[in-house]
Amino acid sequence: MKLFFLLLVSLTWLQANSIDDVTLKKMIGRMLIVGFDDAEIDKNSQIVKDMQEYDLGGVILFDRDYKERNKTKNIRSPKQLKKLTDALHYFSKKPLFISVDQEGGKVARLKPKYGFAKIPSASSVGKMNYKDTLKTYETQSQMLQNAGINMNFAPVVDLAVNPKNRVIVGLERSFGKDTTKVTEYAKVVILEQKKHHIISVLKHFPGHGSSLGDSHKGFVDISETWSPDELTPYSNLIEENLVDMIMTAHVFNKHIDDAYPATLSYKFNTKLLREMMHFKGVIISDDLQMGAISQHYSLKERVTLAINAGVDILLFGNQLENMSVKEIVDAVYAQVKAKKIPLSRIIESNKRIQNLHTKQSIIQKPILFSQKRINLTKSYIQKHYGLDVKNIKIVPKIVVVHWTAVKTFDASFQRLYQEELMSDRADIAAASALNVSAHFLVDRDGTIYQLMPDNFMARHVIGLNYSSIGIENVGGEDNKKEDLTPAQLQANINLINYLKAKYPTIGHIIGHFEYREFEGSALWLEKDKGYRTEKVDPGKKFIDDIRANIDG
């Protein structure tokens, strides 16, 4: 998948310059996922006009209208749905989230009666063995991918702790009440969806399984039923770096916030989820038209409180109410202009959304990485850095940008693929038999390929390998021609911003030609004073342009 250019420039630039009204409204539009009524669309459809005018972040698809159960909305059959999602991608000027609630069981928009596979409920899956669970979610993920859906509001990680709970336990939406079990089953969903390029959304933070009420219909108070154990699946999965997106619930807990429900609460979303639980991904609201919110807060109050609380994407299903995208965008816009919503929050959310798009765009194309390469890497670390290590993991502190000096992607990849150095690299062969490699390879059209884990050491820059992520760019013919493309430039900017968000330890972005400037620093580990090479890649202008557009 090509990495599309987004109308998001650097945080530094935005802070130093005013944002025109059109750009601001597009930035707000990227923070919205909305529902619409059509099963087929064309250039005159309102949703198409909204996508193109406001850079709409995404859509949510439903099979039936919530109030008129016989009324079809977006899903009728596999063929019709694929045609719809293809059209949505075609008409959107930027990457688009196409989302759905496909949990299985009673909460399934892709139903057998429309021609889709039957997926059991989470409660039923929770009684299966691992093999059957894997098969179930492999089937569901493939079905979603075939349909053109790239975001699923699942898995549910609510604990089934209250047998009287109607919305979670009663609908069999929980894997169980044991935190370890829920974590492991949710992990299967996440990993299978990842294989099929589908973003997983954990829900409903901070836990809906102990509640008595249904937030679709009205206020839900969990103050006396909720337990901190309900956070455990989130903590476990965040710690394993498996969580890209979390949906907040419209539940009220006076012991954490005595004023606002979780979706609208700074204490829940920022203090608890971000600061205490260290979540760095995207927070999305549950539907802001549910009774628990709509009965107590105006549209202006909803969007203001949610964004200021730390929510990045606002979900308006247009099932319980009908609101135009213009109405929602204008409400947020007015609050930003009135300084009721800080511009910094709009910028911050756009950065997180951009980083998620970047992560989704990366294609996995692994180089050979057997125990042989690991052993060669350990030997390299011992010989050149004097370190006896148990593994080859690094703490990334530098990103080094390269060019391949080879004009084609296939030829560039083949030079990095093998575990041992190629025979024509006599200039560095004496230093080690370990082949040169990089963590990422960017093709000339801007497509990003990941070749190896970004926290494993690669041999790509003398003296700095043990703290550096390497990005190779196809080009730089004969190691002389500064010919890297605008698409590669934008891909490098997006990739580095994503890596900096993932690894706050990254403090330096350099071109390969600058590596010797670190000699004598704490990051320089090379013990062989005679082991140096002269580099000119990736070109001074290219790296300067990257640094001018990096956040922070």
Side-chain angles (χ1 to χ4, degrees):
M1 184 175 74
K2 292 184 178 180
L3 183 64
F4 292 84
F5 178 80
L6 299 184
L7 188 61
L8 176 64
V9 292
S10 72
L11 176 61
T12 303
W13 191 95
L14 286 170
Q15 288 175 331
N17 298 270
S18 61
I19 298 176
D20 63 79
D21 289 351
V22 172
T23 301
L24 176 56
K25 287 187 176 183
K26 286 180 181 293
M27 294 175 73
I28 294 166
R30 290 186 202 109
M31 296 172 63
L32 303 181
I33 289 180
V34 301
F36 63 102
D37 288 340
D38 308 312
E40 298 176 357
I41 59 171
D42 57 32
K43 65 181 180 180
N44 297 313
S45 300
Q46 186 59 51
I47 191 65
V48 172
K49 294 176 181 178
D50 290 336
M51 288 191 298
Q52 296 184 346
E53 182 175 357
Y54 298 111
D55 275 6
L56 192 62
V59 296
I60 179 170
L61 305 181
F62 295 95
D63 57 331
R64 296 287 174 181
D65 186 274
Y66 185 79
K67 296 177 181 177
E68 299 179 50
R69 302 308 295 173
N70 293 324
K71 181 181 177 181
T72 301
K73 289 194 75 169
N74 314 119
I75 301 169
R76 295 175 180 170
S77 70
K79 183 178 179 180
Q80 168 272 324
L81 179 56
K82 185 61 166 64
K83 184 179 178 181
L84 175 61
T85 58
D86 283 347
L88 287 165
H89 284 304
Y90 173 79
F91 285 118
S92 181
K93 295 179 178 179
K94 46 163 280 301
L96 185 75
F97 296 130
I98 299 182
S99 66
V100 72
D101 282 297
Q102 177 62 33
E103 301 170 17
K106 296 178 182 179
V107 182
R109 309 303 179 212
L110 278 58
K111 294 180 171 67
K113 66 181 180 180
Y114 309 139
F116 298 98
K118 183 178 181 180
I119 305 298
S121 69
S123 177
S124 297
V125 173
K127 300 177 178 69
M128 293 180 181
N129 58 39
Y130 178 80
K131 183 179 179 181
D132 290 339
T133 299
L134 192 65
K135 183 178 180 181
T136 296
Y137 290 119
E138 181 181 31
T139 298
Q140 176 168 277
S141 299
Q142 185 65 64
M143 180 173 68
L144 290 167
Q145 185 180 24
N146 291 346
I149 292 167
N150 58 19
M151 176 180 288
N152 189 17
F153 294 128
V156 170
V157 293
D158 298 316
L159 303 182
V161 291
N162 184 352
K164 295 182 180 179
N165 175 284
R166 296 190 298 273
V167 71
I168 303 298
V169 180
L171 294 178
E172 301 181 350
R173 300 170 70 189
S174 172
F175 291 115
K177 61 182 180 181
D178 179 74
T179 58
T180 301
K181 178 180 180 179
V182 170
T183 299
E184 290 307 308
Y185 279 85
K187 187 174 178 179
V188 174
V189 179
I190 294 167
L191 293 176
E192 282 304 311
Q193 292 187 161
K194 182 178 180 180
K195 289 178 186 176
H196 292 84
H197 310 290
I198 297 160
I199 297 167
S200 297
V201 184
L202 273 61
K203 61 185 186 185
H204 306 78
F205 184 82
H208 212 317
S210 61
S211 68
L212 286 170
D214 182 349
S215 54
H216 287 82
K217 299 176 181 178
F219 189 79
V220 177
D221 191 338
I222 59 171
S223 300
E224 305 308 324
T225 58
W226 184 84
S227 163
D229 284 347
E230 296 182 58
L231 297 176
T232 302
Y234 293 98
S235 297
N236 291 342
L237 294 164
I238 290 170
E239 189 174 337
E240 290 192 56
N241 197 29
L242 291 172
V243 188
D244 291 322
M245 206 162 174
I246 290 176
M247 177 182 283
T248 61
H250 304 324
V251 293
F252 178 80
N253 186 340
K254 67 182 180 182
H255 302 297
I256 297 177
D257 190 330
D258 61 4
Y260 299 110
T263 305
L264 309 182
S265 169
Y266 182 86
K267 292 179 181 178
F268 271 103
N269 296 305
T270 298
K271 301 301 290 185
L272 177 58
L273 185 52
R274 292 228 183 269
E275 295 180 9
M276 294 181 64
M277 298 175 67
H278 309 294
F279 178 59
K280 298 174 184 174
V282 173
I283 298 176
I284 183 171
S285 72
D286 206 340
D287 191 344
L288 287 171
Q289 294 168 327
M290 287 183 180
I293 299 295
S294 63
Q295 293 172 13
H296 302 279
Y297 302 95
S298 67
L299 174 61
K300 180 176 70 174
E301 290 170 328
R302 284 178 245 177
V303 298
T304 303
L305 288 166
I307 294 171
N308 288 345
V311 174
D312 301 305
I313 295 180
L314 309 177
L315 177 61
F316 288 86
N318 284 325
Q319 288 276 77
L320 303 170
E321 295 181 274
N322 282 299
M323 292 178 178
S324 69
V325 172
K326 182 182 186 303
E327 183 180 1
I328 301 166
V329 170
D330 285 349
V332 178
Y333 171 83
Q335 291 298 87
V336 174
K337 287 296 186 179
K339 301 189 185 305
K340 301 294 185 181
I341 298 174
L343 177 60
S344 60
R345 275 293 302 120
I346 305 298
I347 294 169
E348 182 181 50
S349 291
N350 270 251
K351 282 171 55 181
R352 290 197 185 106
I353 294 164
Q354 165 67 62
N355 286 340
L356 183 53
H357 279 302
T358 299
K359 182 177 181 180
Q360 281 299 105
S361 75
I362 296 171
I363 297 172
Q364 299 299 315
K365 191 173 178 66
I367 56 177
L368 281 179
F369 221 109
S370 70
Q371 189 63 42
K372 180 179 181 179
R373 192 188 286 260
I374 293 172
N375 291 340
L376 286 168
T377 305
K378 287 181 178 180
S379 296
Y380 186 101
I381 294 169
Q382 174 65 52
K383 178 178 179 180
H384 290 273
Y385 307 149
L387 302 174
D388 185 13
V389 298
K390 292 182 179 179
N391 59 58
I392 61 171
K393 288 186 177 180
I394 65 170
V395 176
K397 297 178 181 177
I398 311 173
V399 175
V400 183
V401 182
H402 308 256
W403 66 33
T404 63
V406 179
K407 284 295 290 183
T408 70
F409 175 84
D410 288 339
S412 299
F413 179 74
Q414 287 304 317
R415 293 198 66 85
L416 303 170
Y417 181 74
Q418 300 296 332
E419 296 179 300
E420 290 190 298
L421 200 63
M422 298 182 77
S423 59
D424 62 356
R425 294 305 308 270
D427 56 327
I428 60 172
S432 173
L434 174 66
N435 193 19
V436 294
S437 57
H439 302 85
F440 298 93
L441 179 60
V442 182
D443 204 352
R444 297 187 67 75
D445 65 358
T447 305
I448 304 170
Y449 296 86
Q450 185 164 2
L451 309 185
M452 57 181 286
D454 53 26
N455 65 343
F456 279 17
M457 197 195 92
R459 181 185 184 182
H460 63 101
V461 55
I462 295 170
L464 302 174
N465 290 312
Y466 202 59
S467 57
S468 298
I469 292 176
I471 303 174
E472 287 278 4
N473 290 273
V474 177
E477 188 174 1
D478 296 326
N479 218 29
K480 295 177 182 178
K481 190 174 182 180
E482 296 188 13
D483 61 355
L484 300 183
T485 68
Q488 286 176 306
L489 174 63
Q490 188 60 45
N492 277 257
I493 291 166
N494 291 342
L495 176 57
I496 294 169
N497 280 331
Y498 158 69
L499 290 171
K500 279 175 61 67
K502 183 177 181 180
Y503 297 111
T505 49
I506 293 174
H508 304 278
I509 313 299
I510 68 171
H512 196 188
F513 68 91
E514 299 170 304
Y515 81 99
R516 292 191 67 175
E517 295 177 14
F518 282 80
E519 288 193 56
S521 74
L523 295 174
W524 184 268
L525 300 179
E526 184 57 57
K527 292 186 171 296
D528 184 349
K529 294 181 179 180
Y531 180 38
R532 306 288 187 273
T533 55
E534 293 299 322
K535 295 295 177 182
V536 295
D537 58 316
K540 186 176 186 304
K541 185 178 186 305
F542 191 79
I543 195 66
D544 285 347
D545 286 347
I546 288 174
R547 282 194 288 242
N549 289 281
I550 295 300
D551 298 333

